[in-house]
């Protein structure tokens, strides 16, 4: 597992602020995923060893929290909010439109590894419904035209 | 800790501070239904079956996680409480496969039992049940995840008692499931307990699976012969065959658990190689003989040695696998013949295994303490096997009579004993392989599961053991063999002793009282 | 310091800097409180302000703080609950992204008030900008000695740590938050013991919402009376409202709690009317957990007490407006779907019941409903309320249950018609 030096340092700094070994699990997994895009089996072992906890503890946490990806995802992870305000304002159409434009079904990653399309619960952007999040950025209110423009503006790398 | 006085269902209850409502109710015989609560584990109160009414509280409270308070008024049987039980049962059964006809747990299933009280004959659930796979959990454990009610007893046991943590809950919501973490199977020495504590048919023992409906089982209370802890067990058998062994709760001995070695120890005494006929060692090696012949030979040989060299030239060896009564009868019989030297087979020694909530003794026989003390009491002294070998080598011991009864392959520490120098050596034992002992006479005895008597564990606790089955073939209980020998020797066996053994429970006999001053 | 949570010149686009915050009076309250040297005076001031928790339950903040042990010697904690995840709610995001120092100062004051040794900001994963803003604020404040050991030479030491959630609604429940912060699955704890007795890492802990904490610096610097002068007794102070759904101008608005739901929706200072000029059908006033109100019930002040009296609750003040073309069966199914997805699965009624009801509602909406389905759904929801470890059970039972009860005719109609008579939810503009 290739974890960058900066991720390792971030993990070390974090652990220094933790009161128990377990405490760091959720946070360290976030750092791992931010660095690698996902948390693979090797990463699970790494985290378990680094924190001195069991693999079971790590898997337990991983499976409970939906933000972690257990497999590689696209460079752009597109999360469409499906909770009430967004659903009401057309979230299902947003998903359809994205799915068609990206050639990717919900829950899947495209063959070129660029996009992963996901439906998620409330993003806290209800005033911009229907909304979506691409990596760290929130977009909304979405229309088909706006979605196309956003997709066109995404830059790899 | 001070006492707390409360009322449960109009009954005054006094319990120590910190007791939960559920336990307080239990102490006066009021059983509050529950799934996740287990007295040996932490209480997550996740099943919500044990909710009861507490005066002054709006909501029902989980009795397993609510401590009693002075003056508390608890009601466990109000319409509201029953409605809550019915509701929880309906939630459970909505997603349950209801496959009792093919489920091993049927007959001893908490879900099934409660459904008689709070279930409904018809289902309002018209939706799709969440299906879950059958999972291999360990060498002897399989998980029928469909039947799992997510009480997490197994997960908590493995975290809190064995400390091995192989199982965890993964996912969440209705898709939560028990998971074999890191694909590390549950192989720890206490694993079998998770099958016992599973309140439904989710975790099953592969060994017992589909072998027998539980209502055909005969349960016998006994103690586990596997180690010096002598855990309290319940032996479930059918038609004279042991089908499974479960722990019995005994705070002084094993708490609530047993180890897997003990759980399957019966296999070490049963099956291939069991001695089922007396064997006499003659010119043509070992040959079968009948009991009259065997007992007569033993009596004649022992009497001859005693007459020729004096009674003290006859020695006896007791056994940590034999009961207190058997060891006592052996010692008294030989002391009455004039014997002064006795010894005790050592139990195989291993390292003890310690877990956060359990300990397995390293001494691999149930009655080490009981045998040693009994023999000492009667004979006044006990020789080590080395000392006995010395006495044999010097010609001061010419005949030895021994109790054996070890599990398969365990009784072999006698290469240096010089048995070949003896004029007569006889042993009551279980396995043909014990022929290696170069005895003149091998008498087929009983396994621990075929005995009646008393054992004393390493902590000094006396427990009754009970016979689950008869010894195979012509094999006999060791007590009976010794009595036959006594009769043939025309020795008088202490009436007290005989009566005490016949008037069980032996745990209360006078031996206990007379010996108690020694510690 | 201005008595507002949305000060002029602040914007979610740029987190307010330390300098800008101090320029408008920021950290004056912190210096005042430390200067007075008496934590109880912070509690007293907040007591006078009448501040009630802004997270959903509306519990009086000063009272909550007073549960913390006064004579504790070991570690004690305050957790800032920034796990805002209730559908319809986005107020805390704005506070964290625009005015992180104000939230942080509130957290420090809360820590001091309850003699905590460490404050934790528990922030949801989906707010990375807020996380960056808050971390920067913590770093800045630490640099100038407002956080750390022996703050400003007063002998009081406090640390602040940022922790991120991982995408679960239940981590916003008080004890679910504690479990997640401890690095475990966010399974709520059976109470008692309450967090003030045994909280984070088994130590006394208070959990406060972001907006609640953002009010505290204003209260301490301007005085509790000034805060209490806004609104009515029991419902004091400026309040943030999240307006979403079919309104012309969805967004975050601040108003005294005397404002009515109708004003929030129709007044030009707020929502500016229902989108497309249609009549409203229903309003959910406090996030998905709050019982729905019918259009004729919205002439009610959007405060804790009036909304409760109206059979609903202020909750997270996530006001969702639904117009006359909205299918309430679909609304119920969507809300229940959310709860089904977010149920932690720990206790039986919620784990089994929410999924059951969700399937019933999905069936009714898709035209496969049967007579009696709505009754079973209501019965099962009622069997969840009051029976679970945490308030999630009530949230789903009250929120979803109210929709079925108040719009029963639509459920029956779906079953009769074997289908949904309302238009599908397509792209909609707010028509502003």
């Amino acid at each position: 597992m290739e974890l960058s030096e900066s991720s390792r340092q971030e993990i070390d700094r974090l652990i220094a602020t933790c009161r128990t070994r377990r405490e760091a699990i959720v946070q360290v997994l976030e750092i791992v995923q931010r660095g690698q895009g996902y948390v693979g089996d090797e990463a699970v072992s790494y985290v378990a060893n680094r924190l001195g906890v069991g693999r079971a503890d790590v898997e337990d946490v991983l499976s409970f929290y939906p933000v972690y990806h257990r497999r590689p995802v696209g460079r752009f992870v597109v999360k469409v909010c499906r909770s009430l305000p967004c659903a009401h304002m057309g979230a299902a159409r947003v998903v359809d439109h994205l799915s068609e434009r990206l050639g990717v079904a919900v829950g899947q990653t495209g063959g070129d590894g660029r996009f992963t399309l996901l439906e998620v619960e409330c993003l806290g952007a209800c005033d911009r419904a229907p909304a979506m999040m691409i990596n760290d950025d929130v977009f909304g209110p979405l229309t088909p035209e706006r979605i196309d423009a956003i997709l066109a503006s995404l830059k790899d790398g | 800790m001070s006492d707390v006085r409360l009322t449960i269902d109009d009954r005054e209850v006094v319990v120590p501070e910190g007791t939960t409502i559920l336990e307080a109710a239990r102490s006066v015989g009021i059983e509050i239904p529950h799934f996740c609560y287990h007295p040996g584990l932490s209480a997550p109160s996740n099943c919500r079956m044990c909710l009861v009414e507490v005066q002054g509280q709006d909501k029902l409270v989980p009795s397993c996680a609510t401590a009693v308070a002075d003056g508390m008024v608890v009601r466990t049987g109000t319409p509201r409480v029953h409605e809550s039980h019915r509701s929880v049962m309906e939630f459970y059964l909505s997603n349950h496969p209801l496959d009792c006809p093919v489920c091993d747990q049927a007959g001893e299933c908490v879900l099934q039992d409660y459904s008689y009280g709070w279930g409904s004959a018809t289902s309002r659930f018209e939706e799709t049940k969440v299906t879950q796979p059958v999972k291999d959990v360990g060498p002897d454990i399989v998980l029928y995840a469909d039947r799992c009610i997510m009480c997490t007893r197994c997960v908590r046991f493995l975290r809190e008692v064995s400390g091995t943590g192989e199982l965890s809950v993964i996912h969440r919501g209705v898709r939560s499931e028990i998971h074999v973490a890191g694909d590390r199977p549950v192989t720890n020495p206490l694993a079998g307990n998770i099958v016992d504590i599973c309140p439904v048919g989710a975790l099953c023992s592969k060994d017992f699976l589909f072998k027998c409906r539980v209502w055909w089982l005969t349960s016998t209370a006994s103690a586990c012969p596997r180690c010096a802890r002598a855990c309290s067990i319940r032996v479930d058998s059918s038609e004279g065959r042991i089908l499974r062994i479960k722990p019995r709760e005994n705070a002084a001995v094993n708490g609530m658990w047993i180890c897997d070695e003990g759980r399957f120890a019966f296999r070490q005494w049963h099956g291939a190689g069991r001695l089922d006929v007396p064997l006499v060692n003659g010119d043509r090696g070992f040959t079968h003989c009948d009991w009259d012949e065997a007992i007569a030979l033993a009596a004649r040989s022992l009497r001859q040695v005693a007459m020729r060299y004096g009674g003290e030239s006859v020695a006896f060896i007791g056994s940590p696998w034999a009961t207190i009564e058997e060891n006592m009868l052996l010692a008294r019989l030989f002391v009455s013949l004039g014997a002064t030297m006795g010894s005790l087979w050592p139990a195989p020694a291993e390292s003890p295994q310690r877990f956060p909530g359990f300990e397995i003794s390293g001494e691999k026989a149930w009655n080490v303490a009981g045998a040693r003390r009994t023999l000492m009491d009667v004979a006044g002294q006990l020789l080590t096997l080395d000392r006995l070998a010395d006495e044999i080598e010097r010609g001061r011991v010419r005949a030895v009579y021994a109790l054996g009864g070890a599990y398969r392959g365990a009784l072999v520490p006698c290469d240096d004993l010089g048995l070949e120098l003896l004029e007569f050596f006889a042993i009551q034992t279980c396995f043909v392989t014990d022929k290696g002992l170069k005895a003149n006479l091998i008498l087929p005895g009983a396994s621990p599961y075929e005995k009646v008597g008393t054992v004393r564990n390493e902590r000094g606790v006396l427990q009754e053991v009970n016979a689950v089955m008869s010894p195979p073939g012509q094999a006999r209980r060791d007590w009976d063999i010794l009595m036959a020998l006594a009769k043939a020797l025309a020795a008088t066996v202490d009436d007290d002793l005989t009566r005490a053994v016949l008037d069980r429970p032996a745990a209360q006999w006078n031996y206990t009282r007379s010996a108690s001053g020694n510690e | 310091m201005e008595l507002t949570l949305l000060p002029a010149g602040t914007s979610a686009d740029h987190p307010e800097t330390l300098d800008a915050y101090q320029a408008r009076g920021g950290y004056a309250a912190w210096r005042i409180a430390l200067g007075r040297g008496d934590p109880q005076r912070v509690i007293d001031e907040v007591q006078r302000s009448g501040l009630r928790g802004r997270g959903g339950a509306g519990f009086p903040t000063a009272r909550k703080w007073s549960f913390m042990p006064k004579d504790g010697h070991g570690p004690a904690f305050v957790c800032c609950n920034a796990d805002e995840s209730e559908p319809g709610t986005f107020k805390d995001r704005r506070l964290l992204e625009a005015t992180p120092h104000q939230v942080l100062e509130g957290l420090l004051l809360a820590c001091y008030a309850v003699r905590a040794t460490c404050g934790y900001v528990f922030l949801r994963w989906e707010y990375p900008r807020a996380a960056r803003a808050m971390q920067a604020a913590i770093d800045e404040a630490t640099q100038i000695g407002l956080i750390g050991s022996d703050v400003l030479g007063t002998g009081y030491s406090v640390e602040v740590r940022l922790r991120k959630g991982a995408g679960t609604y239940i981590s916003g429940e008080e004890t679910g938050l504690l479990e997640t912060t401890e690095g475990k699955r966010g399974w709520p704890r059976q109470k008692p013991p309450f967090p003030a007795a045994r909280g984070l890492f088994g130590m006394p802990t208070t959990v406060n919402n972001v907006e609640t904490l953002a009010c505290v610096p204003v209260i301490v610097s301007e005085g509790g009376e000034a805060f209490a002068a806004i609104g009515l007794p029991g419902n004091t102070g400026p309040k943030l409202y999240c307006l979403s759904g079919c309104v012309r101008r969805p967004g975050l608005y601040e108003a005294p709690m005397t404002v009515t739901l109708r004003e929030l929706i129709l007044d030009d200072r707020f929502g500016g009317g229902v989108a497309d000029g249609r009549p409203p059908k229903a309003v959910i006033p406090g996030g998905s957990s709050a019982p729905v109100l019918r259009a004729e019930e919205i002439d009610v002040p959007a405060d804790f007490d009036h909304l409760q009296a109206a059979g609903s609750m202020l909750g997270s003040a996530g006001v969702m407006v639904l117009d006359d073309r909205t299918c309430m069966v679909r609304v119920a199914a969507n809300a229940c779907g959310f709860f089904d997805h977010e149920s932690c699965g720990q206790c039986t009624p919620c784990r089994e019941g929410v999924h059951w009801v969700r399937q019933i509602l999905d069936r009714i909406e898709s035209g496969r409903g049967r007579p009696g389905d709505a009754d079973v759904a209501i019965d099962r929801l009622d069997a969840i309320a009051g029976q679970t470890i945490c308030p999630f059970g009530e949230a789903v039972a009250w929120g979803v249950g109210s929709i079925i009860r108040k719009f029963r005719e639509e459920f029956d109609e779906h079953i009769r018609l074997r289908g949904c008579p309302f238009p599908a939810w397509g792209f909609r503009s707010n028509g502003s």
Side-chain angles (χ1 to χ4, degrees):
Chain A
M1 192 187 77
E2 294 296 317
L3 200 61
S4 71
E5 191 50 36
S6 68
S7 290
R8 284 174 196 275
Q9 285 173 2
E10 197 180 346
I11 290 171
D12 291 343
R13 280 198 304 274
L14 175 89
I15 290 172
T17 70
C18 287
R19 283 162 212 276
T20 66
R21 286 180 298 182
R22 272 208 73 126
E23 180 191 348
I25 298 178
V26 175
Q27 311 301 318
V28 167
L29 289 173
E30 193 260 349
I31 296 170
V32 169
Q33 178 154 310
R34 195 150 27 84
Q36 304 214 296
Y38 75 109
V39 184
D41 286 342
E42 281 178 55
V44 172
S45 300
Y46 169 79
V47 172
N49 291 335
R50 179 68 185 85
L51 300 181
V53 299
R55 268 191 72 109
D57 296 326
V58 180
E59 287 181 21
D60 170 326
V61 165
L62 264 179
S63 70
F64 186 79
Y65 297 101
V67 297
Y68 301 118
H69 307 299
R70 292 289 272 120
R71 268 177 275 182
V73 289
R75 283 190 296 284
F76 299 105
V77 177
V78 183
K79 296 177 171 176
V80 182
C81 174
R82 65 174 174 212
S83 293
L84 187 53
C86 285
H88 196 217
M89 303 307 277
R93 297 285 84 77
V94 174
V95 170
D96 291 346
H97 190 79
L98 280 165
S99 187
E100 190 207 310
R101 282 288 188 273
L102 304 176
V104 177
V106 174
Q108 304 292 314
T109 299
D112 60 358
R114 260 192 109 207
F115 289 99
T116 297
L117 179 60
L118 300 171
E119 280 185 310
V120 298
E121 299 299 349
C122 189
L123 291 172
C126 322
D127 51 342
R128 285 173 275 175
M132 68 175 170
M133 204 168 165
I134 301 181
N135 295 349
D136 280 0
D137 298 311
V138 176
F139 301 93
L142 299 173
T143 60
E145 300 73 34
R146 184 90 209 284
I147 293 170
D148 292 344
I150 292 163
L151 293 179
S153 72
L154 294 173
K155 293 193 179 64
D156 293 85
Chain B
M1 226 189 283
S2 57
D3 279 346
V4 171
R5 193 174 291 270
L6 71 158
T7 310
I8 304 178
D9 294 344
D10 299 323
R11 289 173 65 180
E12 182 103 324
V13 184
V14 181
V15 287
E17 193 185 334
T19 308
T20 64
I21 295 175
L22 189 144
E23 285 157 353
R26 239 179 195 193
S27 73
V28 293
I30 298 170
E31 186 70 12
I32 299 171
H34 59 270
F35 291 101
C36 70
Y37 165 83
H38 187 284
L41 304 172
S42 62
S45 71
N46 64 34
C47 75
R48 314 312 279 179
M49 190 66 186
C50 74
L51 304 192
V52 295
E53 229 174 280
V54 171
Q55 205 170 75
Q57 303 229 19
D58 292 347
K59 287 186 180 183
L60 301 180
V61 306
S63 59
C64 70
T66 307
V68 294
D70 246 331
M72 194 181 243
V73 178
V74 178
R75 294 189 190 285
T76 75
T78 63
R80 198 167 151 223
V81 170
H82 282 300
E83 185 48 43
S84 164
H85 295 338
R86 271 194 293 276
S87 212
V88 171
M89 284 304 294
E90 188 171 3
F91 284 131
Y92 273 131
L93 296 174
S94 71
N95 226 339
H96 193 80
L98 302 173
D99 58 346
C100 309
V102 295
C103 176
D104 244 36
Q105 192 86 357
E108 55 182 10
C109 173
V110 181
L111 194 65
Q112 196 180 35
D113 292 348
Y114 290 170
S115 66
Y116 288 99
W118 299 283
S120 164
T122 57
S123 174
R124 297 189 287 172
F125 185 82
E126 312 264 0
E127 323 306 323
T128 315
K129 297 194 187 217
V130 177
T131 54
Q132 301 258 14
V134 177
K135 293 184 189 179
D136 196 23
V137 170
D140 184 53
I141 305 170
V142 60
L143 169 66
Y144 289 86
D146 266 348
R147 298 176 188 149
C148 175
I149 60 166
M150 295 308 298
C151 69
T152 69
R153 280 185 181 184
C154 54
V155 174
R156 282 176 283 138
F157 176 88
L158 295 170
R159 286 184 186 164
E160 296 166 17
V161 181
S162 72
T164 47
E166 298 95 330
L167 295 183
S168 61
V169 175
I170 58 160
H171 306 313
R172 57 180 189 171
V174 78
R175 267 165 248 292
S176 305
E177 58 181 284
I178 300 297
H179 175 62
V180 185
D183 298 320
R184 190 161 64 100
V186 183
T187 54
N188 76 75
L190 306 179
N193 291 292
I194 66 174
V195 173
D196 299 337
I197 61 178
C198 181
V200 295
L203 288 169
C204 292
S205 159
K206 291 179 192 169
D207 185 66
F208 181 68
L209 200 60
F210 306 137
K211 277 203 181 135
C212 186
R213 280 311 201 174
V214 297
W215 50 87
W216 301 120
L217 292 171
T218 304
S219 292
T220 309
S222 197
C224 175
R226 175 64 191 158
C227 79
R229 183 124 187 214
C231 293
S232 298
I233 54 168
R234 188 186 89 207
V235 185
D236 286 349
S237 61
S238 172
E239 294 167 345
R241 276 201 317 145
I242 296 174
L243 293 181
R244 64 178 189 183
I245 287 176
K246 299 215 172 244
R248 276 187 299 126
E249 188 177 338
N250 187 339
V253 178
N254 53 307
M256 326 223 162
W257 323 115
I258 55 171
C259 72
D260 283 10
E261 281 184 31
R263 187 179 297 272
F264 296 113
F266 66 93
R267 291 176 183 159
Q268 296 185 294
W269 271 279
H270 295 268
R274 259 309 279 281
L275 200 57
D276 58 0
V277 62
L279 296 175
V280 60
N281 199 354
D283 300 338
R284 292 175 291 118
F286 281 105
T287 51
H288 295 186
C289 66
D290 66 30
W291 272 110
D292 290 349
E293 207 181 317
I295 295 293
L297 172 65
R300 191 167 65 242
S301 305
L302 291 168
R303 205 181 294 117
Q304 267 174 16
V305 169
M307 287 200 317
R308 198 174 301 161
Y309 306 102
E312 64 278 9
S313 66
V314 176
F316 58 91
I317 306 177
S319 168
W321 291 282
T323 62
I324 287 171
E325 293 82 351
E326 289 161 349
N327 278 297
M328 173 161 286
L329 180 53
L330 172 82
R332 289 210 181 167
L333 178 58
F334 282 85
V335 166
S336 76
L337 286 179
T340 57
M341 286 182 269
S343 186
L344 173 66
W345 297 114
E350 293 175 9
S351 304
Q353 291 175 272
R354 296 192 177 89
F355 304 89
F358 197 74
E359 188 173 334
I360 303 173
S361 170
E363 274 192 301
K364 295 300 177 189
W366 60 354
N367 194 29
V368 179
R372 181 176 298 125
R373 209 162 116 178
T374 307
L375 298 170
M376 291 278 285
D377 277 3
V378 178
Q381 62 162 345
L382 207 51
L383 307 186
T384 61
L385 283 184
D386 284 349
R387 275 283 310 282
L388 182 63
D390 259 13
E391 302 289 348
I392 293 171
E393 199 180 342
R394 288 199 228 157
R396 285 168 52 183
V397 168
R398 302 282 182 153
V400 172
Y401 190 94
L403 290 177
Y407 53 88
R408 188 180 290 112
L411 197 65
V412 283
C414 46
D415 287 352
D416 305 325
L417 211 47
L419 293 172
E420 63 282 358
L421 304 175
L422 294 172
E423 292 186 17
F424 182 71
F425 173 52
I427 182 165
Q428 300 178 195
T429 195
C430 289
F431 287 98
V432 180
T433 45
D434 295 341
K435 280 197 288 200
L437 297 174
K438 303 184 194 90
N440 301 84
L441 186 63
I442 299 181
L443 302 170
S447 83
Y449 307 93
E450 295 154 357
K451 288 178 188 292
V452 175
T454 313
V455 294
R456 181 186 187 89
N457 81 351
E458 60 189 359
R459 296 175 187 181
V461 180
L462 288 165
Q463 287 185 89
E464 283 178 29
V465 303
N466 285 297
V468 179
M469 54 176 70
S470 306
Q474 294 178 39
R476 290 186 185 175
R477 290 185 189 158
D478 297 84
W479 171 268
D480 296 335
I481 302 172
L482 288 169
M483 285 299 278
L485 180 63
K487 203 171 156 195
L489 285 166
T492 49
V493 177
D494 197 326
D495 273 354
D496 277 358
L497 172 65
T498 321
R499 200 167 44 244
V501 172
L502 298 176
D503 296 349
R504 303 224 319 125
Q508 286 147 27
W509 67 341
N510 57 8
Y511 163 79
T512 318
R513 286 198 298 276
S514 66
S516 60
N518 296 350
E519 280 181 358
Chain C
M1 207 174 184
E2 209 187 335
L3 259 168
T4 176
L5 298 172
L6 301 175
T10 60
S11 150
D13 297 337
H14 308 285
E16 188 180 32
T17 62
L18 176 65
D19 289 344
Y21 181 55
Q22 297 204 96
R24 68 173 171 96
Y27 289 114
W30 184 221
R31 293 172 208 273
I32 292 168
L34 287 172
R36 286 171 180 161
D38 183 5
Q40 186 58 41
R41 290 189 61 180
V42 178
I43 300 184
D44 293 344
E45 203 62 57
V46 172
Q47 165 78 40
R48 275 192 288 278
S49 78
L51 176 64
R52 292 172 69 174
R54 279 13 183 181
F59 196 83
T61 304
R63 238 182 109 204
K64 193 175 203 178
W65 289 353
S66 71
F67 296 148
M68 291 286 278
K70 303 264 184 301
D71 48 359
H73 297 292
F77 308 115
V78 175
C79 292
C80 168
N81 187 346
D83 194 56
E84 179 172 71
S85 306
E86 181 83 32
T89 314
F90 44 88
K91 62 190 178 65
D92 297 343
R93 177 203 279 271
R94 165 62 161 78
L95 295 172
L96 295 159
E97 288 181 353
T99 55
H101 279 291
Q102 188 168 340
V103 178
L104 181 58
E105 188 183 4
L107 175 60
L108 292 170
L109 287 163
C111 283
Y112 185 64
V114 303
R115 299 161 174 83
T117 51
C118 184
Y120 284 86
V121 179
F122 185 84
L123 221 156
R124 67 180 303 208
W125 172 293
E126 292 77 5
Y127 289 0
R129 286 163 52 112
R132 284 194 291 271
M134 182 49 77
Q135 188 60 59
I138 294 169
D139 293 344
E140 282 178 310
T142 306
Q143 259 168 22
I144 63 162
L146 295 175
I147 303 173
S149 60
D150 190 19
V151 179
L152 305 174
T154 57
Y156 177 67
S157 300
V158 65
E159 295 169 84
V160 176
R161 289 172 191 161
L162 178 68
R163 294 288 184 258
K164 285 176 217 168
T168 50
Y169 175 72
I170 202 65
S171 295
E173 193 277 335
E174 191 167 63
T175 55
L177 182 149
L178 301 180
E179 290 287 306
T180 304
T181 306
E182 289 182 13
K184 301 170 186 163
R185 50 176 43 222
W187 274 357
R189 302 175 183 171
Q190 176 71 39
K191 294 182 272 191
F194 291 93
R198 279 178 58 86
L200 192 63
F201 303 110
M203 301 299 164
T205 304
T206 291
V207 181
N208 288 130
N209 169 260
V210 169
E211 187 187 346
T212 311
L213 292 174
C215 291
V216 177
V218 186
I219 292 168
V220 173
S221 71
E222 303 307 312
E225 283 86 359
F227 188 89
I230 301 172
L232 294 170
N235 299 277
T236 55
K239 179 75 192 89
L240 294 181
Y241 293 95
C242 317
L243 224 54
S244 69
C246 315
V247 283
R248 285 213 174 87
R249 295 192 298 129
L252 188 67
Y253 299 97
E254 184 180 285
M257 281 187 265
T258 46
V259 71
T260 66
L261 283 177
R262 183 178 297 281
E263 284 165 347
L264 279 172
I265 296 160
L266 300 179
D267 196 295
D268 282 340
R269 288 172 299 155
F270 308 115
V274 177
D276 304 331
R278 303 198 69 91
K281 177 193 272 186
V283 176
I284 299 174
S288 284
S289 311
V292 70
L293 296 172
R294 294 183 67 114
E296 59 271 24
E297 297 175 297
I298 63 175
D299 289 305
V300 55
D303 68 9
F304 295 106
D305 298 330
H306 283 90
L307 281 171
Q308 193 182 345
S312 186
M313 61 187 201
L314 180 57
S316 62
V319 181
M320 291 181 274
V321 182
L322 307 168
D323 71 9
D324 65 334
R325 289 178 304 183
T326 306
C327 171
M328 295 308 288
V329 177
R330 212 178 303 153
V331 169
N334 179 282
C336 200
F338 170 80
F339 288 115
D340 183 27
H341 185 258
E342 297 299 334
S343 168
C344 80
Q346 186 183 196
C347 65
T348 313
C350 175
R351 179 183 65 239
E352 306 295 340
V354 177
H355 186 63
W356 183 350
V357 174
R358 186 235 180 119
Q359 290 187 80
I360 295 175
L361 296 176
D362 282 347
R363 261 195 308 107
I364 299 175
E365 170 63 7
S366 67
R368 291 177 293 117
R370 283 178 285 257
D373 274 351
D375 294 320
V376 174
I378 285 177
D379 178 78
R380 292 295 77 195
L381 288 169
D382 288 347
I384 299 169
Q387 305 273 312
T388 52
I389 291 174
C390 81
F392 187 103
E394 280 87 59
V396 57
W398 295 346
V400 177
S402 72
I403 302 172
I404 306 175
R405 285 198 165 94
K406 291 218 166 161
F407 295 91
R408 179 60 186 263
E409 68 280 4
E410 290 191 21
F411 290 77
D412 293 340
E413 194 184 6
H414 275 69
I415 292 166
R416 197 170 57 246
L417 296 174
R418 294 177 192 281
C420 176
F422 293 94
W425 283 342
F427 279 110
R428 288 185 64 173
S429 73
N430 294 93
S432 56

